[in-house]
Amino acid sequence: MIFYDCSTAPSPRRARMFLAEKRLTPETHDISIAKGEQLGEAFRAVNPRATLPVLITDAGTTLTENLAIAMYLEDTHPEPPLIGTTPDERAEILQWNAICESQGAAAVAEVLRNSNPHMKNRAIPGPANFEQIPELAERGRVRVGLFKDMLEQRLADSAYLAGDAFTFADISAFVFSDFARVIKMGVTDETPNLMRWYEAIKARPSARV
């Protein structure tokens, strides 16, 4: 396998943590988004959509979405299980993962990409340029707050996001919650259940790779 990473971006970190939990160490290439390397000709030959992460499988298939990468790794390296062992477990984990993507990642991205001056004309990832819309940043902050409130409520009743075991859903929620610090909306003591869970995930070796 060949893994294309970016050490500073949240989406590649999800795949990086998944690989670490599976104890896999593929050949890795770090692509600097800050330097615009994802838009260069060399990387566009790997992924024309100019997004990260990318995993090239042992069979040569190019996977450019976190869910596809996670499913491939889960099927080819089932231990330890990160996407459940029964249909109900798998469905709940994937449901929470989808919630984290649509309500967490999208909200943080709205704020960052529509307010950071370094992302001028880069409000949406990919090869095309899009102007920033400041109103979306304002809306995004409200959405991030709602996302944190939802996690706080869920984690009052559950050790982990999708039940009693650490899963892919926790990786996604942790990465997005942690990255929210760049918009000054990281995890604080104001959400004690979220903080308890956050510190537990942060202590895992995969969170430090």
Side-chain angles (χ1 to χ4, degrees), residues 42-195:
F43 183 72
R44 292 281 298 275
V46 175
N47 179 14
R49 289 186 294 280
T51 59
L52 291 150
V54 174
L55 183 75
I56 300 178
T57 72
D58 291 330
T61 302
T62 300
L63 304 176
T64 63
E65 298 294 331
N66 262 293
L67 181 57
I69 291 170
M71 295 298 292
Y72 170 79
L73 295 174
E74 185 83 349
D75 287 343
T76 55
H77 301 84
E79 296 296 330
L82 295 176
I83 313 183
T85 58
T86 69
D88 285 73
E89 287 176 354
R90 178 164 286 204
E92 185 169 22
I93 292 163
L94 294 179
Q95 173 176 263
W96 274 107
N97 182 72
I99 290 170
C100 289
E101 290 182 339
S102 64
Q103 299 182 34
V108 175
E110 268 192 344
V111 180
L112 180 64
R113 287 189 167 273
N114 287 286
S115 63
N116 191 315
H118 296 293
M119 291 191 167
K120 183 178 174 60
N121 299 322
R122 298 295 302 155
I124 297 176
N129 291 329
F130 289 89
E131 291 289 340
Q132 293 176 324
I133 302 175
E135 291 81 3
L136 289 181
E138 296 174 13
R139 185 182 73 176
R141 290 190 179 279
V142 176
R143 295 181 65 202
V144 172
L146 293 172
F147 177 65
K148 291 170 65 178
D149 289 344
M150 179 186 62
L151 294 181
E152 173 68 9
Q153 182 177 0
R154 169 61 177 170
L155 293 167
D157 302 320
S158 182
Y160 294 98
L161 198 55
D164 295 329
F166 174 83
T167 69
F168 180 42
D170 294 291
I171 291 176
S172 297
F174 171 78
V175 169
F176 302 144
S177 298
D178 190 49
F179 193 69
R181 71 188 186 281
V182 304
I183 59 168
K184 297 181 171 56
M185 295 191 71
V187 179
T188 68
D189 292 334
E190 294 178 354
T191 50
N193 298 312
L194 178 57
M195 177 62 81

Side-chain angles (χ1 to χ4, degrees), residues 13-26 70 73-74 77-83 160 165-172 174-175 200-209:
R13 188 184 185 192
R14 293 170 66 198
R16 190 164 67 246
M17 285 184 68
F18 202 100
L19 285 161
E21 290 286 343
K22 294 290 187 180
R23 301 178 182 87
L24 298 172
T25 56
L73 295 174
E74 185 83 349
H77 301 84
E79 296 296 330
L82 295 176
I83 313 183
Y160 294 98
F166 174 83
T167 69
F168 180 42
D170 294 291
I171 291 176
S172 297
F174 171 78
V175 169
I201 307 303
K202 188 178 178 180
R204 299 178 74 89
S206 65
R208 299 191 290 273
V209 298

